[in-house]
Amino acid sequence: MPVTEKTMVDKDLAFRIPLEIEIKKLFRGALRISLFRFSFLIFLVSFMQKQRKAYTLRKFRQEEGVTVPPFMIVSVTSACNLHCSGCFSKENHAAERPDMTDNELESILIQAEELGTSITLLSGGEPLKRSGLFSITNKFPGMLFPLFTNGLLVDKSHIEIFRQQPNIVPIVSLEGTEFDTDKRRGKDVHSKVLKVLEVMKQNRIFIGVSFMVTKENVNIITDSEYVRWLMRFGVNLFFYNEYVPFEPGSESKCLSITEREDLEKSLIRLRKRFNAMFISFPGDEAQFGGCLSAGRGFFHINPAGDMEPCPFSPYSTDSLKEVSLKEALQSRFLSTIRENHDKLFEYQGGCALWNNKEWVAKLVKDNKT
């Protein structure tokens, strides 16, 4: 049967159903573990109700031929207070380009909310280096903002903001042991992060940790006793990102196919054992038939405001300073990646687009407006 616009839409809608089911499961899990974080619990109940409207908006847009994902990742600044080895932001985004203005960032969030994207992952650089960020997020009480931070800049004012804006979920980066963390992030980072986690726990803030998964740390960060130890610091969300070898010569850090399979088995075991949330990226994509980037499940906006398919694929044909979010999502560049999602599976380096970067770069050249 020939592929028509209608059959493509029907195929996308069929894929959306299991994705939306998984999102509901995710938030039901969050609801279960947030009983002692009252402000976050109240937000979460309200947020889950609003998700019905967001889902309806996404479905309506899809029927119009516009693919709108539930998630987006926004790198709000290229500035950072650390110099971690293998940092994708440092390698991918030139610091000399100015970051989006507050008005530009706010406009993107307004457009996203109107289209039905209701979960915005905030990253950087270090997002806490961006002044005025929380004045912007305060205008979007119905949007969830997981905030990926190294944690070192968190102070009393941020603690108060997290208390007042429970839709901001701080997710602090660790690499496993003190040795592994300090080796990649700098001296004494591990001990400082633990102090920050303890303070947030005392203030009953819903918090998570994020790991960059490598051959060197995969065993420790999936160890039950290690997970139990971190939960004593109030951690209830564990985010596992597979290492992408941006740093030349670092390919040996990447998980093998067998190690990736073992990682997923370990996370299944941890989910059964602990009252916590365990998310892997990109490992969870396989159940949805391939890569979720390019708006199929999420997209990325770099600090300068360019629309990219993924944080690990720094290619773009559209700037959101020049076109609307809706137009960028409909670009030939992103559409072509979505149409080939079933050919994009991770086999080395934790990112299908990274492994196919020559193809993606050619798409940019062929579709540059």
Side-chain angles (χ1 to χ4, degrees):
M1 187 174 83
V3 176
T4 65
E5 185 175 341
K6 184 179 185 306
T7 58
M8 285 297 297
V9 170
D10 289 344
K11 185 178 179 182
D12 260 347
L13 285 174
F15 142 75
R16 290 284 175 160
I17 293 172
L19 178 60
E20 298 292 348
I21 289 174
E22 286 303 311
I23 292 172
K24 289 179 181 178
K25 288 181 181 178
L26 184 69
F27 287 107
R28 282 199 295 267
L31 193 65
R32 186 180 66 251
I33 64 179
S34 60
L35 297 179
F36 299 104
R37 295 165 175 85
F38 187 71
S39 61
F40 181 72
L41 177 62
I42 295 300
F43 159 74
L44 195 57
V45 171
S46 173
F47 179 78
M48 291 174 69
Q49 293 172 342
K50 292 176 181 176
Q51 284 312 287
R52 299 190 190 117
K53 178 182 178 182
Y55 169 70
T56 300
L57 283 172
R58 293 194 293 269
K59 184 178 179 181
F60 174 74
R61 297 297 183 187
Q62 191 70 59
E63 291 169 346
E64 287 185 325
V66 183
T67 298
V68 178
F71 301 90
M72 69 176 179
I73 305 168
V74 182
S75 294
V76 295
T77 182
S78 57
C80 190
N81 54 313
L82 292 180
H83 301 279
C84 305
S85 61
C87 174
F88 78 88
S89 179
K90 181 175 62 178
E91 295 294 329
N92 290 346
H93 303 124
E96 62 267 16
R97 293 186 65 194
D99 292 342
M100 291 176 282
T101 65
D102 286 355
N103 287 339
E104 289 166 344
L105 176 56
E106 184 176 336
S107 173
I108 289 170
L109 294 174
I110 291 172
Q111 293 176 68
E113 199 167 52
E114 290 175 348
L115 289 172
T117 297
S118 53
I119 304 169
T120 298
L121 285 69
L122 301 174
S123 63
E126 167 52 53
L128 296 185
K129 291 282 286 184
R130 180 173 181 125
S131 61
L133 175 62
F134 300 117
S135 295
I136 298 173
T137 58
N138 195 42
K139 298 177 182 179
F140 299 89
M143 185 172 281
L144 179 64
F145 294 102
L147 176 86
F148 287 79
T149 173
N150 59 51
L152 301 190
L153 299 181
V154 174
D155 58 23
K156 291 181 179 179
S157 66
H158 294 116
I159 296 295
E160 187 58 30
I161 288 169
F162 298 153
R163 287 168 59 88
Q164 293 176 357
Q165 296 187 47
N167 56 326
I168 299 173
V169 178
I171 300 175
V172 183
S173 297
L174 281 172
E175 307 301 331
T177 66
E178 179 177 8
F179 174 81
D180 289 328
T181 300
D182 290 358
K183 178 182 176 182
R184 182 171 186 240
R185 297 183 169 271
K187 186 181 179 188
D188 297 329
V189 169
H190 186 269
S191 61
K192 291 175 181 177
V193 166
L194 295 184
K195 291 178 182 178
V196 169
L197 293 177
E198 184 62 41
V199 171
M200 289 196 287
K201 175 188 176 182
Q202 292 170 1
N203 284 272
R204 297 193 175 185
I205 295 167
F206 191 94
I207 53 178
V209 295
S210 175
F211 307 110
M212 187 64 72
V213 187
T214 69
K215 283 181 178 288
E216 300 166 350
N217 70 359
V218 64
N219 290 331
I220 182 64
I221 62 179
T222 56
D223 180 77
S224 294
E225 289 308 309
Y226 177 75
V227 167
R228 192 189 309 277
W229 176 71
L230 277 178
M231 290 182 70
R232 293 175 189 151
F233 288 89
V235 177
N236 287 114
L237 170 60
F238 297 81
F239 207 100
Y240 294 79
N241 298 285
E242 290 184 41
Y243 181 77
V244 178
F246 292 111
E247 198 170 54
S250 65
E251 290 79 8
S252 62
K253 294 182 179 181
C254 299
L255 299 185
S256 66
I257 293 176
T258 300
E259 287 169 329
R260 179 177 292 114
E261 292 172 351
D262 289 342
L263 170 62
E264 289 307 309
K265 292 176 183 176
S266 294
L267 296 185
I268 291 172
R269 170 179 51 81
L270 292 172
R271 289 174 187 131
K272 292 178 179 178
R273 185 165 186 176
F274 295 105
N275 188 28
M277 301 167 67
F278 299 88
I279 302 171
S280 67
F281 179 81
D284 287 342
E285 292 183 327
Q287 63 183 304
F288 305 114
C291 185
L292 285 172
S293 72
R296 191 165 175 262
F298 67 91
F299 58 86
H300 177 241
I301 300 170
N302 72 22
D306 301 328
M307 169 79 87
E308 298 176 345
C310 174
F312 302 131
S313 186
Y315 302 95
S316 177
T317 60
D318 294 285
S319 168
L320 295 181
K321 296 179 180 180
E322 300 170 357
V323 303
S324 70
L325 183 57
K326 182 179 179 180
E327 290 175 294
L329 283 168
Q330 292 177 284
S331 72
R332 190 65 235 156
F333 171 54
L334 295 189
S335 296
T336 302
I337 294 175
R338 289 196 297 268
E339 290 163 7
N340 288 274
H341 69 86
D342 54 338
K343 302 179 183 66
L344 298 171
F345 286 95
E346 296 74 28
Y347 55 89
Q348 181 187 19
C351 177
L353 292 184
W354 171 259
N355 291 320
N356 291 276
K357 50 184 175 291
E358 292 81 8
W359 174 68
V360 180
K362 186 177 184 301
L363 287 182
V364 171
K365 183 178 179 181
D366 292 345
N367 294 283
K368 192 77 173 177
T369 56

